[in-house]
Amino acid sequence: MTTVRFGTDGIRGIAGETLTVELAAALGFALMQQHPAGLVLIGRDTRPSGPALASALAGAIEAHGGTVIDVGIIPTPGLASLVAGEPRAACGVVVTASHNPVEYNGLKVLARDGRKIPDAEERALEAAMEIALAEPVQVAAPSVVHAAEAEEYRGRYARALAALAQTVSAAGLRVVVDAAHGAASPFAVAALAATGATVLPFAMGDGVINDGVGATDPAALGEQVRAHGADLGIALDGDADRCVVVDAAGRAIDGDVLIALIALDRKRRGVAGSERAVATVLTNSGVERHLAAHGITLERTPVGDRHIAERLAAGQGGFGGEKSGHLLFTELSPTGDGLLSAITVLGLVARAGTPVGAMADAVPLDPQLQRAVQVPPGGGERLLMEPDLQSAIREAEVALAQTGGRVLVRLSGTEPLLRVMGEGPDRAAVTAAVERLIEVAASLVRGR
C-alpha cells in the first residue's frame, strides 16, 4: 500500500511520479470523509501539471457528495482568505509546490478558517487516502463553474489587497516586483501600485515558474532593480506566500533582518501585540538580542509557518515570520501572504524615509551557515538516526557551545534533504562544524 505523508507544507512530489492524479483523487475522497457533502474551494499556481491534478481532486470530491468551486490561478493566501470569508466553504485545497521547481507539484489543505490544518487532521487524511489508494477512487467529471463566478472570487481577493494598499502612502518609491512566473502574476502590479508607488513588473507569468526567478533566487531581481534605478525590489515565490526584499544595490535583505525591521516598525507605531514577535528555531540569535534591546520578546517555534500561526493564535495575535520570507500578520490574513507583506514593507520604507539597505545594516547578525545534503526518498529518518551522524552532531554542539554558538540538524519538510544550520560569533568554528556534519552525512548517503 502507498504511504501518504504530509510534510511541513502539504503533500509534495514530482508531478506524474510521486504526486499523481490518483493521489489527488484520493485526497478528494478523504476530504469527503471529514466534510460530507461539503463545499471545497480549489486554487492552483501556474504549473503545467496543475489543471490535471485539480480536475482529479474536484472529480473525486463531487463523486463522493461534495461541491467544488475551482477558482483557478490564485496565490495560496488568496484562496485562504476566500475560504475564511465564504460561510459555505468546508475547506480549501491549493494545487501548488510553492517555491519548488516546475517539475514538482503539491496539495495544500486549508481549514475552514483559512489556516493550514492541524497535525491530527493531516493524520486522519493520510489514513483515509491510503484506504482510497488501495483500490480505484470514483471520479466524476467535475462540474464546470462559469468563468464569471471564478473571476468574482478572484476579484474579492484583489479588492482586499487594494483596500490594504490604499492605507499606505508610498508615492515616490520605485519598486520592481518579481512574481516568479507564478500565481501572483495576475495580482501583483495592481496591488502594489495602489500604494502610490511606481511598480515595475518582472517575471509575470510568461516564463517557467521559479526558474531563476522569485523568492528563492532573487539575483535576477537584483539586476532589474539596479538597471531601473529602483529603490527596492520584491520577490515572491510560486504561490506567493513568501516575500523577499532586495535593496537599491540589488542585495537581498536577510529574512531575519526583515522580521526585525517589521517588528521594530510595529512597536514604534504601537500596533497591538507589538511587544512580541514569533519566529522559528532558525532565526538568527543576533535578531533576538536586537529586538530584546528594544523591548520586544522573540518567541521561537519549530520550523514551518504553520507553527508560527499556531503560536500567534495562542497568544492573541501579533506578528511572526520565517527567514525564508513567510511573514504572518494575524490582523490582516489567516496565513502568510507575500503581497500583503510587500505592501507592509512599502509602508515601512515610506514612513522611515531611509533606504531599506541602510535600515538592514543597522540590525546585527551572528555568522550563520546553512547547508543541505540530498537524501534518498523515505530514507531521511534513518540517516538522521545513524550513530556516526548523531556522534558528529554532539561533537558540533559541544564545539560551538564553547563560543556561544549552536547547531541544528533537521529533515526538510518539503524536499528530500537533510539540512544543517550552524550559528555563532566565531565564523570559522561555525563553518568547520557545518562542513564536518555535511561531510559525515554525505558519506553515509554514498555508503548506502
Side-chain angles (χ1 to χ4, degrees):
M1 182 181 293
T2 303
T3 300
V4 180
R5 286 289 179 267
F6 280 78
T8 56
D9 210 2
I11 301 170
R12 288 196 197 172
I14 296 176
E17 296 181 16
T18 54
L19 190 82
T20 62
V21 292
E22 291 79 13
L23 199 66
L27 176 60
F29 167 84
L31 288 172
M32 288 303 96
Q33 309 313 299
Q34 291 189 355
H35 307 286
L39 169 65
V40 181
L41 303 187
I42 297 177
R44 59 183 173 87
D45 65 23
T46 56
R47 296 166 201 271
S49 59
L53 290 164
S55 179
L57 172 67
I61 290 169
E62 296 201 339
H64 293 87
T67 304
V68 169
I69 296 177
D70 187 346
V71 178
I73 293 173
I74 190 168
T76 291
L79 194 79
S81 68
L82 293 176
V83 172
E86 174 54 79
R88 299 175 297 153
C91 62
V93 182
V94 190
V95 181
T96 179
S98 189
H99 62 282
N100 289 143
V102 66
E103 63 268 23
Y104 284 82
N105 216 322
L107 301 162
K108 290 187 181 183
V109 181
L110 304 172
R112 173 69 193 86
D113 61 2
R115 294 183 170 86
K116 294 172 185 177
I117 59 174
D119 290 343
E121 193 168 336
E122 286 185 345
R123 301 293 84 79
L125 286 174
E126 288 172 353
M129 289 175 71
E130 290 184 356
I131 291 170
L133 288 167
E135 53 187 66
V137 173
Q138 183 181 356
V139 177
S143 59
V144 178
V145 175
H146 193 274
E149 186 174 0
E151 185 61 30
E152 198 281 326
Y153 274 90
R154 291 192 294 271
R156 293 184 195 180
Y157 177 56
R159 290 190 292 273
L161 291 171
L164 175 66
Q166 288 161 8
T167 68
V168 170
S169 178
L173 288 180
R174 288 169 54 83
V175 56
V176 181
V177 59
D178 172 358
H181 298 303
S185 299
F187 302 91
V189 174
L192 299 194
T195 67
T198 299
V199 182
L200 306 165
F202 177 61
M204 286 290 159
D206 53 349
V208 178
I209 191 170
N210 297 329
D211 186 12
V213 293
T216 56
D217 196 353
L221 172 62
E223 293 173 4
Q224 291 290 314
V225 169
R226 291 194 299 272
H228 290 286
D231 297 292
L232 72 160
I234 299 290
L236 308 166
D237 64 337
D239 72 334
D241 61 357
R242 295 188 185 196
C243 172
V244 169
V245 177
V246 170
D247 70 9
R251 177 187 59 162
I253 303 299
D254 186 282
D256 288 339
V257 170
L258 187 59
I259 291 169
L261 294 179
I262 293 171
L264 291 168
D265 176 69
R266 289 168 67 89
K267 184 75 183 304
R268 281 192 292 269
R269 291 187 290 125
V271 176
S274 60
E275 69 283 351
R276 69 192 277 260
V278 179
T280 76
V281 291
L282 293 178
T283 291
N284 197 285
S285 297
V287 164
E288 184 173 8
R289 292 193 300 272
H290 189 64
L291 292 181
H294 289 81
I296 302 171
T297 300
L298 185 73
E299 300 177 14
R300 294 184 182 267
T301 74
V303 175
D305 61 315
R306 180 181 62 182
H307 299 295
I308 296 173
E310 290 170 354
R311 180 70 64 84
L312 288 170
Q316 289 77 53
F319 162 71
E322 285 190 292
K323 187 183 188 75
S324 60
H326 285 123
L327 303 171
L328 291 90
F329 305 87
T330 57
E331 71 273 19
L332 300 178
S333 173
T335 189
D337 187 324
L339 287 170
L340 291 181
S341 300
I343 291 166
T344 299
V345 169
L346 290 182
L348 183 160
V349 175
R351 281 189 296 273
T354 302
V356 68
M359 288 191 285
D361 289 340
V363 179
L365 294 176
D366 288 346
Q368 188 184 85
L369 180 62
Q370 297 192 48
R371 296 274 304 279
V373 172
Q374 190 90 19
V375 300
E381 299 213 2
R382 291 196 304 275
L383 174 63
L384 189 56
M385 297 310 298
E386 286 278 359
D388 287 351
L389 182 57
Q390 286 293 311
S391 176
I393 292 171
R394 288 192 293 271
E395 290 173 5
E397 288 172 340
V398 170
L400 291 184
Q402 292 175 356
T403 57
R406 62 192 180 105
V407 65
L408 178 66
V409 182
R410 66 184 181 89
L411 295 174
S412 169
T414 58
E415 300 172 85
L417 298 173
L418 180 81
R419 298 191 184 276
V420 179
M421 185 277 285
E423 176 188 277
D426 186 334
R427 186 180 300 275
V430 168
T431 301
V434 171
E435 289 184 348
R436 172 59 181 158
L437 287 169
I438 291 293
E439 177 187 346
V440 171
S443 176
L444 289 168
V445 170
R446 287 193 302 268
R448 289 185 171 179

